[in-house]
Amino acid sequence: MNYTSNPALALLSLEQGQAEFDYTAFLQDQDIDYLAEESSASTSSNHFSGPGTVVQPQLQPQPATNLAVVVQGGNGNGAAAAQKTRLERRGHTKSRRGCFNCKRRRIKCQETRPACGHCTKTGLPCEYPSLPTILSSSQPSHQIPLFSMQDMRFFQHFLVSCYPHHPIGSETIWTHEVPCLSQKYEYLMHAILGYSASELMVSLSDQTLTAPAMAHRLKAIKAIKRTLAASSSQQQIEEGGCESRVGDGKDFSEEGNALMAACFALTYQSVLLDDGMVEYMTFIRGIMIVAMQMYVREKGSAKRILFGDFMGQAQTDRLAPYMAEVPLINKDWVDGAVRGLEGMEGLVRVEERQVERRYWEMLIAMGRELYVSSWGAYLAMTNHYAWWMMLPHDQFQKITEPGNQVAILLATHWIALKQVMAVITETEDKGAAKWPERPPSGNDISVGIIRWLKYLNKMVDVEHLVYNQWPMWVEAQLDRDRGFFGKTH
């Protein structure tokens, strides 16, 4: 079975600071306009796009200074500036029946059939939403919409074959508590169904599932947006330490747990998208924003956080005995990685590239640690995750800037390093509480985030190709044999 590989998320920790994150800064209006019934013609984007490709959607937390103010303890003046900037967006003509790719990329779709011009140009499969179905007026408007037999198939596939494995050891939560929550929270149900549909689409090579997979994904994020907007305006915290309420009176902890689970599912679905790396990073940041908000409201206790027992030091302790047994990986592979990163030093050793330099320093520390300890390299990888997860928005935007070739090169080296470390990262599987059923197949090794590497390598321009030789070599080996670096599933 072409099964989705473990995305190797960071060892999530809630102990990096006590600042009260404004989780409503995640997915603000301009970030998810493309999730509405119409697609936007706006060309603003924080996603990579290569020569001749269409700009991808902006899905980073906004406003730009909200996260920065919280992390750096600013006075909030930047937030006002960001609000002013949001009000100055230029108008555009809307396309109401655009294809899913154009909706994701926040661009105007020509709506030509069977494929629009943008999808034809980029070589992406072009799928259009089905025409809206008029529901009976007798259906209560407050209930989650009825789901189809196909959706029931997706739900069953999630429970049996593709539930997530992060936080490490939380599989039972994914097959018990999370499905129960999904009956109450529309966005969580759509996130589960979208991820499961994408996994089936990939594992069965069934492109007919693209439309329902993307439809559920878009509905999930749109519903998250509504929830965050409602919680921002209706949240009431009574004096005297009473329990806070959000939205329509739901317990904040329950709502927060549902939001975290939905972001996890959307993160896993991002692994199945060729251009999903930045969305993957964005939703991981969303998980942390919600988790830290809950942690603060619970006065430093993780007891009411659904995944609280599996975060931070608990994950490290769970993996340490297994990681201690992992041997060093092939020295030639490490030599290639370190030489490739050292060759980029001149690109990052400039004053205006401080955030890229820090990115590079963390990658080369990861590479050099591979000479010494596989466990140490894994911890260096999680430190890198923690770094960009906690970056102020303006800096996160810079390392995902579409025209930033240095950032693209750093991304290709990061993903290539993760491929070389397959034997190390797959050791996470030993910390799982259980493993899903997998039907027999002729190819049990998933493409996983190899698809990101291929996508990013194509985006490096001619001028910078000399710096990208090692990631291209890694891609070539994986094209020949997906298990070349020890990957087993």
Side-chain angles (χ1 to χ4, degrees), residues 34 39-43 54-56 95 98-99 101-110 118-119:
Y34 72 94
S39 58
S40 170
S42 170
T43 57
V54 182
V55 178
Q56 300 178 38
S95 168
C99 73
N101 287 325
C102 288
K103 284 178 180 290
R104 287 184 59 238
R105 295 168 181 270
R106 291 210 323 159
I107 58 175
K108 181 175 174 61
C109 182
Q110 298 97 327
H118 294 301
C119 289

Side-chain angles (χ1 to χ4, degrees), residues 201-230:
M201 178 192 68
V202 171
S203 62
L204 300 179
S205 299
D206 185 355
Q207 293 303 314
T208 65
L209 298 179
T210 301
M214 292 309 303
H216 281 301
R217 181 178 180 84
L218 301 183
K219 288 177 181 178
I221 309 176
K222 189 176 180 181
I224 289 173
K225 173 194 172 183
R226 290 196 301 266
T227 299
L228 296 180

Side-chain angles (χ1 to χ4, degrees), residues 171-284:
E171 289 78 10
T172 301
I173 290 177
W174 281 108
T175 56
H176 292 78
E177 285 87 343
V178 170
C180 291
L181 273 178
S182 71
Q183 309 302 309
K184 191 174 181 180
Y185 296 94
E186 177 184 355
Y187 51 82
L188 177 53
M189 177 63 81
H190 282 302
I192 287 173
L193 297 178
Y195 162 51
S196 182
S198 287
E199 206 282 330
L200 273 173
M201 178 192 68
V202 171
S203 62
L204 300 179
S205 299
D206 185 355
Q207 293 303 314
T208 65
L209 298 179
T210 301
M214 292 309 303
H216 281 301
R217 181 178 180 84
L218 301 183
K219 288 177 181 178
I221 309 176
K222 189 176 180 181
I224 289 173
K225 173 194 172 183
R226 290 196 301 266
T227 299
L228 296 180
S231 67
S232 178
S233 61
Q234 298 179 20
Q235 182 175 322
Q236 297 178 352
I237 306 176
E238 298 180 3
E239 293 183 1
C242 294
E243 183 177 65
S244 84
R245 302 278 173 175
V246 298
D248 58 359
K250 300 181 182 73
D251 176 15
F252 175 83
S253 296
E254 182 182 82
E255 184 95 72
N257 285 328
L259 285 167
M260 285 182 65
C263 287
F264 265 117
L266 291 165
T267 297
Y268 267 72
Q269 189 181 15
S270 298
V271 175
L272 298 163
L273 305 177
D274 289 355
D275 55 353
M277 187 192 74
V278 180
E279 293 183 26
Y280 167 88
M281 297 169 72
T282 298
F283 283 113
I284 291 178

Side-chain angles (χ1 to χ4, degrees), residues 86-127:
R86 288 203 298 276
L87 296 175
E88 296 173 353
R89 299 179 68 214
R90 64 182 183 181
H92 58 269
T93 302
K94 294 178 179 178
S95 168
R96 297 188 178 275
R97 296 183 178 85
C99 73
F100 286 116
N101 287 325
C102 288
K103 284 178 180 290
R104 287 184 59 238
R105 295 168 181 270
R106 291 210 323 159
I107 58 175
K108 181 175 174 61
C109 182
Q110 298 97 327
E111 298 183 22
T112 53
R113 307 276 179 155
C116 72
H118 294 301
C119 289
T120 300
K121 185 177 181 180
T122 56
L124 294 172
C126 189
E127 296 282 348

